Amino acid sequence: MTQPLAVPVVSVTDPGSAFAFVLGVLFNQRMRADDAWRAPWELGRRVGALTPAAFLALDPGEFAAQFAAVPAIHPFTRTMAERAYRAAELVDAEYDGDARRIWTGVTAAQFLARLQAFPGIGRHKATVALFIATRELGITVGADGHSYSISCCGSLADRYHPHHEPLLT
């Protein structure tokens, strides 16, 4: 039986949880996945809301201080605080403050390219995010004729055997 991933409920209709998904993808390194997916919600609590606007209402130094408060949001406190702040800037500037626009009406290749524009999200993280978004969260992404396998992702691939590719429409 397949165990669900530790991704908190992300609503494709809620901008806050969509932004949490992007941050969870970003934070999912060098810490337990459960903690990485919960961390955006704690960060939002600390800054007053889980929105790019709430993050950007603080100057970068104050935001970093909130990020680093004990317990720190992520083991790489300074780097991830900078990346989270930059993620808020990108969502604000490129998607009018609404992270849902990252995946709305796009193909898989566009989804990957958009995620990879965020500092700290490379091809591997973006591919895993594509898989989680389509398999776990029901986010609709268009097929484009390419393969986006997670077969190299060890336990994640094993969990979904034989389904190693995202559900593309």
Side-chain angles (χ1 to χ4, degrees):
M1 180 176 189
T2 301
Q3 294 293 319
L5 294 176
V7 180
V9 175
V10 173
S11 167
V12 294
T13 61
D14 176 41
S17 65
F19 186 49
F21 176 74
V22 173
L23 293 174
V25 172
L26 176 65
F27 295 160
N28 197 9
Q29 78 179 64
R30 302 290 273 194
M31 68 187 301
R32 292 186 36 177
D34 291 356
D35 294 336
W37 292 108
R38 278 193 294 271
W41 300 99
E42 173 59 19
L43 183 56
R45 187 191 66 72
R46 290 181 187 185
V47 301
L50 186 53
T51 64
F55 286 24
L56 299 175
L58 301 174
D59 70 65
E62 177 59 25
F63 179 81
Q66 293 295 325
F67 195 96
V70 178
I73 297 295
H74 193 278
F76 300 142
T77 304
R78 192 186 83 233
T79 300
M80 285 300 181
E82 290 170 2
R83 289 178 177 174
Y85 196 82
R86 180 69 182 125
E89 290 175 329
L90 280 171
V91 171
D92 185 60
E94 299 294 323
Y95 304 103
D96 295 324
D98 188 348
R100 296 172 300 176
R101 293 181 180 190
I102 294 168
W103 55 74
T104 301
V106 300
T107 66
Q110 291 168 321
F111 179 88
L112 294 176
R114 288 177 174 192
L115 280 182
Q116 289 176 81
F118 289 86
I121 299 179
R123 176 84 177 170
H124 179 79
K125 276 187 177 183
T127 302
V128 170
L130 174 64
F131 184 88
I132 292 169
T134 61
R135 288 261 173 201
E136 292 289 313
L137 304 176
I139 293 171
T140 302
V141 177
D144 53 19
H146 296 280
S147 173
Y148 302 101
S149 177
I150 58 156
S151 60
C152 66
C153 295
S155 63
L156 183 62
D158 291 344
R159 182 178 299 192
Y160 289 96
H161 178 77
H163 305 290
H164 290 170
E165 299 211 3
L167 291 171
L168 304 177
T169 59

mmCIF file of all heavy atoms in Angstrom, residues 12 30 32 35 49 54 61 70 72 78 80 101 109 142-143 149 153:
data_model
loop_
_atom_site.group_PDB
_atom_site.id
_atom_site.type_symbol
_atom_site.label_atom_id
_atom_site.label_comp_id
_atom_site.label_asym_id
_atom_site.label_seq_id
_atom_site.Cartn_x
_atom_site.Cartn_y
_atom_site.Cartn_z
ATOM 1 N N VAL A 12 -5.336 23.973 -4.563
ATOM 2 C CA VAL A 12 -5.039 24.661 -5.810
ATOM 3 C C VAL A 12 -5.828 25.959 -5.914
ATOM 4 O O VAL A 12 -5.582 26.750 -6.804
ATOM 5 C CB VAL A 12 -5.296 23.760 -7.043
ATOM 6 C CG1 VAL A 12 -4.323 22.611 -7.058
ATOM 7 C CG2 VAL A 12 -6.715 23.262 -7.087
ATOM 8 N N ARG A 30 18.442 18.544 3.056
ATOM 9 C CA ARG A 30 19.201 18.486 4.299
ATOM 10 C C ARG A 30 18.339 18.627 5.550
ATOM 11 O O ARG A 30 18.802 19.096 6.591
ATOM 12 C CB ARG A 30 20.310 19.521 4.309
ATOM 13 C CG ARG A 30 21.276 19.390 3.168
ATOM 14 C CD ARG A 30 22.092 18.180 3.314
ATOM 15 N NE ARG A 30 23.240 18.517 4.134
ATOM 16 C CZ ARG A 30 24.292 17.764 4.249
ATOM 17 N NH1 ARG A 30 24.348 16.636 3.614
ATOM 18 N NH2 ARG A 30 25.289 18.137 4.997
ATOM 19 N N ARG A 32 14.494 16.581 7.247
ATOM 20 C CA ARG A 32 13.436 15.596 7.012
ATOM 21 C C ARG A 32 12.342 16.213 6.157
ATOM 22 O O ARG A 32 11.972 17.376 6.340
ATOM 23 C CB ARG A 32 12.840 15.145 8.342
ATOM 24 C CG ARG A 32 13.793 14.326 9.190
ATOM 25 C CD ARG A 32 13.072 13.827 10.388
ATOM 26 N NE ARG A 32 11.709 13.525 9.929
ATOM 27 C CZ ARG A 32 10.757 13.015 10.653
ATOM 28 N NH1 ARG A 32 10.969 12.758 11.898
ATOM 29 N NH2 ARG A 32 9.568 12.784 10.176
ATOM 30 N N ASP A 35 9.478 17.861 7.955
ATOM 31 C CA ASP A 35 9.806 19.182 8.494
ATOM 32 C C ASP A 35 9.864 20.226 7.385
ATOM 33 O O ASP A 35 9.433 21.365 7.584
ATOM 34 C CB ASP A 35 11.139 19.130 9.236
ATOM 35 C CG ASP A 35 11.076 18.253 10.480
ATOM 36 O OD1 ASP A 35 9.963 18.052 11.026
ATOM 37 O OD2 ASP A 35 12.133 17.743 10.901
ATOM 38 N N ALA A 49 1.715 36.103 8.054
ATOM 39 C CA ALA A 49 0.893 35.486 7.006
ATOM 40 C C ALA A 49 1.814 34.749 6.039
ATOM 41 O O ALA A 49 2.975 35.113 5.874
ATOM 42 C CB ALA A 49 0.084 36.529 6.245
ATOM 43 N N ALA A 54 3.458 39.531 2.898
ATOM 44 C CA ALA A 54 3.844 39.541 4.310
ATOM 45 C C ALA A 54 5.358 39.408 4.457
ATOM 46 O O ALA A 54 5.966 40.072 5.306
ATOM 47 C CB ALA A 54 3.142 38.417 5.063
ATOM 48 N N GLY A 61 16.712 41.877 6.591
ATOM 49 C CA GLY A 61 17.327 41.555 7.879
ATOM 50 C C GLY A 61 16.321 41.079 8.907
ATOM 51 O O GLY A 61 16.566 40.104 9.627
ATOM 52 N N VAL A 70 14.813 30.606 17.157
ATOM 53 C CA VAL A 70 14.834 29.212 17.618
ATOM 54 C C VAL A 70 13.423 28.683 17.772
ATOM 55 O O VAL A 70 12.576 29.361 18.366
ATOM 56 C CB VAL A 70 15.607 29.126 18.961
ATOM 57 C CG1 VAL A 70 15.604 27.704 19.499
ATOM 58 C CG2 VAL A 70 17.035 29.618 18.759
ATOM 59 N N ALA A 72 15.183 27.296 14.336
ATOM 60 C CA ALA A 72 15.349 27.847 12.989
ATOM 61 C C ALA A 72 14.468 27.081 12.008
ATOM 62 O O ALA A 72 14.225 25.887 12.162
ATOM 63 C CB ALA A 72 16.806 27.767 12.557
ATOM 64 N N ARG A 78 20.886 31.151 6.949
ATOM 65 C CA ARG A 78 21.115 32.358 6.159
ATOM 66 C C ARG A 78 20.767 32.143 4.689
ATOM 67 O O ARG A 78 20.039 32.932 4.084
ATOM 68 C CB ARG A 78 22.572 32.821 6.294
ATOM 69 C CG ARG A 78 22.772 34.236 5.735
ATOM 70 C CD ARG A 78 24.222 34.673 5.706
ATOM 71 N NE ARG A 78 24.804 34.131 4.492
ATOM 72 C CZ ARG A 78 25.909 33.396 4.427
ATOM 73 N NH1 ARG A 78 26.584 33.112 5.498
ATOM 74 N NH2 ARG A 78 26.348 32.952 3.277
ATOM 75 N N MET A 80 18.858 29.816 3.209
ATOM 76 C CA MET A 80 17.445 29.552 2.941
ATOM 77 C C MET A 80 16.575 30.768 3.242
ATOM 78 O O MET A 80 15.560 30.976 2.583
ATOM 79 C CB MET A 80 16.954 28.328 3.705
ATOM 80 C CG MET A 80 17.436 27.034 3.106
ATOM 81 S SD MET A 80 16.871 26.839 1.385
ATOM 82 C CE MET A 80 17.579 25.256 1.025
ATOM 83 N N ARG A 101 -0.216 30.722 -10.116
ATOM 84 C CA ARG A 101 0.019 31.057 -11.520
ATOM 85 C C ARG A 101 1.265 30.384 -12.076
ATOM 86 O O ARG A 101 1.480 30.385 -13.277
ATOM 87 C CB ARG A 101 0.115 32.570 -11.682
ATOM 88 C CG ARG A 101 -1.215 33.233 -11.401
ATOM 89 C CD ARG A 101 -1.160 34.711 -11.583
ATOM 90 N NE ARG A 101 -2.482 35.261 -11.293
ATOM 91 C CZ ARG A 101 -2.823 36.497 -11.529
ATOM 92 N NH1 ARG A 101 -1.954 37.332 -12.066
ATOM 93 N NH2 ARG A 101 -4.029 36.925 -11.227
ATOM 94 N N ALA A 109 7.065 21.116 -19.149
ATOM 95 C CA ALA A 109 8.341 21.822 -19.366
ATOM 96 C C ALA A 109 8.262 23.250 -18.834
ATOM 97 O O ALA A 109 9.228 23.751 -18.232
ATOM 98 C CB ALA A 109 8.705 21.819 -20.843
ATOM 99 N N GLY A 142 -0.041 20.198 -18.348
ATOM 100 C CA GLY A 142 -0.166 19.641 -19.683
ATOM 101 C C GLY A 142 1.018 18.791 -20.102
ATOM 102 O O GLY A 142 2.165 19.096 -19.789
ATOM 103 N N ALA A 143 0.730 17.732 -20.843
ATOM 104 C CA ALA A 143 1.772 16.885 -21.411
ATOM 105 C C ALA A 143 2.437 17.617 -22.570
ATOM 106 O O ALA A 143 1.825 18.448 -23.231
ATOM 107 C CB ALA A 143 1.178 15.564 -21.901
ATOM 108 N N SER A 149 10.615 11.211 -15.502
ATOM 109 C CA SER A 149 10.646 10.089 -14.578
ATOM 110 C C SER A 149 11.334 10.451 -13.268
ATOM 111 O O SER A 149 12.285 11.229 -13.242
ATOM 112 C CB SER A 149 11.386 8.912 -15.219
ATOM 113 O OG SER A 149 11.476 7.839 -14.316
ATOM 114 N N CYS A 153 14.936 8.538 -8.069
ATOM 115 C CA CYS A 153 14.704 9.156 -6.760
ATOM 116 C C CYS A 153 14.528 8.147 -5.636
ATOM 117 O O CYS A 153 13.826 8.415 -4.665
ATOM 118 C CB CYS A 153 13.493 10.084 -6.824
ATOM 119 S SG CYS A 153 13.746 11.494 -7.897
#
